[in-house]
Amino acid sequence: MKTDSLPSIPDKKYFLISEVSNLCQIKPHTLRFWEKEFEILKPKKRRGNRRFYQKEDILIIREIKNLLYLEGMTISG
């Protein structure tokens, strides 16, 4: 996976959607869409439906981005 240009993931337990958006260089609305399309992507939701992602979620998002944008795969595929 090409993560050379992506920022390193800080050592903390939870990340807000805005932080994940910056770390993965993907817009927040795309992240919310991917949650509906990929069952493996399930951030914790707390306090008014706020999303809290973990490091594992960020790694999954980066892999999804790689498969869709670099490898040319489709969501249905």
Side-chain angles (χ1 to χ4, degrees):
M1 175 168 64
K2 292 225 175 212
T3 57
D4 301 338
S5 62
L6 296 176
S8 62
I9 302 171
D11 188 25
K12 60 186 225 178
K13 187 163 178 140
Y14 294 107
F15 300 85
L16 298 174
I17 193 168
S18 59
E19 295 172 307
V20 176
S21 175
N22 290 331
L23 289 170
C24 296
Q25 299 177 349
I26 295 174
K27 302 227 180 254
H29 68 267
T30 302
L31 292 171
R32 290 189 293 272
F33 175 73
W34 285 358
E35 287 174 24
K36 295 175 188 172
E37 296 297 318
F38 300 101
E39 291 180 13
I40 193 169
L41 191 55
K42 295 282 186 206
K44 295 185 186 299
K45 291 187 181 178
R46 297 186 185 149
R47 288 183 272 155
N49 228 13
R50 290 184 65 180
R51 290 164 170 80
F52 291 92
Y53 295 85
Q54 294 182 328
K55 185 175 182 175
E56 296 79 27
D57 295 318
I58 295 172
L59 295 173
I60 290 169
I61 291 165
R62 287 181 171 187
E63 185 60 30
I64 291 171
K65 179 182 176 185
N66 179 54
L67 292 172
L68 293 177
Y69 296 170
L70 298 177
E71 300 291 327
M73 296 187 86
T74 62
I75 290 177
S76 60

